Amino acid sequence: MIDNLKRINLILTLRKLGVTNHNVLSILEKIPREEFIDKDLNYKAYQNKALPIDCNQTISQPAVVAKMTELLEPKQNSNVLEIGTGSGYQTAILSKLFKRIYTIERHNLLLEKAKKVLNKLKITNIVFYHGDGLEGWPAKFAFDRIIITAVSNSLPKKIIEQLSDNGILVLPLIRGGEQYISKVVKKNKKLIIEKSWRVRFVPLVSGIN
Ligand code: SAH
């Protein structure tokens, strides 16, 4: 009961902050965020806060997860490439809105943990890969939708190459020393970039661990 109230409160907060997509909001209400964090942080699971996970990384703030998902313009028949599996929380949200999620994480420990949780939640439309997301998906694929959940100074070239024409990439980008969620649309091979919320993310790092 108390947990339900906390979840509803979180959804109200997200609405107030300007998340409007009903599907996205109702999925955030349903996915148990406590499963993706340490037990001793469970009391914070429905606060609109980023929280620490293993390997010095963070599970993103629910509002940021919701906003980035909304900007991706969910389409049930599309596949998504996700760079930065982390806890797997964003992956779980995406799994309910898209056909299949191809997710890459550079820390094997995080990837293995995320696999376990998603398996426990009976989420099966995910393809996991332990690797460097900066190299893109390790097969010649094109994706309609790509999400990167770690921050960089510039648009990673190999990832842009894997974005289809009319595709959407959502990522945090550094502009003038600040990080902004950014939506990149590819139109006739040109990139149109729109800035959204100011945020704080862990960096996109090359190589694997
Ligand atoms: N969406 C995740 C966010 C995790 S934080 C969540 O809500 O839990 C960002 C993640 O990106 C970290 O797990 C980090 O290890 C990963 N990451 C950073 N650079 C990467 C790269 N080049 N390839 C793959 N994963 C990367």
Side-chain angles (χ1 to χ4, degrees), residues 29-158:
E29 194 178 335
K30 284 185 204 125
I31 299 284
R33 190 167 181 252
E34 65 276 17
E35 296 286 345
F36 298 86
I37 54 181
D38 271 359
K39 281 218 161 36
D40 54 346
L41 290 174
N42 272 3
Y43 71 103
K44 290 190 178 176
Y46 294 96
Q47 295 178 9
N48 185 26
K49 283 187 183 147
L51 298 168
I53 55 174
D54 288 321
C55 308
N56 255 328
Q57 305 301 314
T58 52
I59 177 172
S60 305
Q61 209 185 340
V64 170
V65 171
K67 189 66 187 174
M68 290 178 84
T69 308
E70 178 172 87
L71 289 171
L72 264 188
E73 297 180 14
K75 273 207 314 193
Q76 205 74 55
N77 57 353
S78 285
N79 293 327
V80 184
L81 171 63
E82 179 191 42
I83 316 285
T85 320
S87 66
Y89 178 65
Q90 171 87 66
T91 324
I93 305 286
L94 295 171
S95 77
K96 304 291 179 191
L97 293 158
F98 292 93
K99 187 161 93 191
R100 189 162 286 120
I101 319 302
Y102 294 80
T103 188
I104 308 181
E105 172 56 56
R106 63 185 293 276
H107 284 288
N108 200 34
L109 177 73
L110 291 176
L111 193 72
E112 290 304 320
K113 272 193 149 181
K115 270 187 201 169
K116 266 196 198 144
V117 185
L118 293 163
N119 199 26
K120 181 176 168 197
L121 297 178
K122 300 196 164 45
I123 293 173
T124 55
N125 57 338
I126 318 266
V127 187
F128 297 91
Y129 180 68
H130 174 224
D132 179 357
L134 285 164
E135 299 294 320
W137 190 257
K140 217 167 177 289
F141 269 15
F143 295 91
D144 280 350
R145 300 289 188 265
I146 302 180
I147 180 168
I148 307 179
T149 62
V151 72
S152 67
N153 276 304
S154 57
L155 295 173
K157 191 167 169 284
K158 290 192 175 155

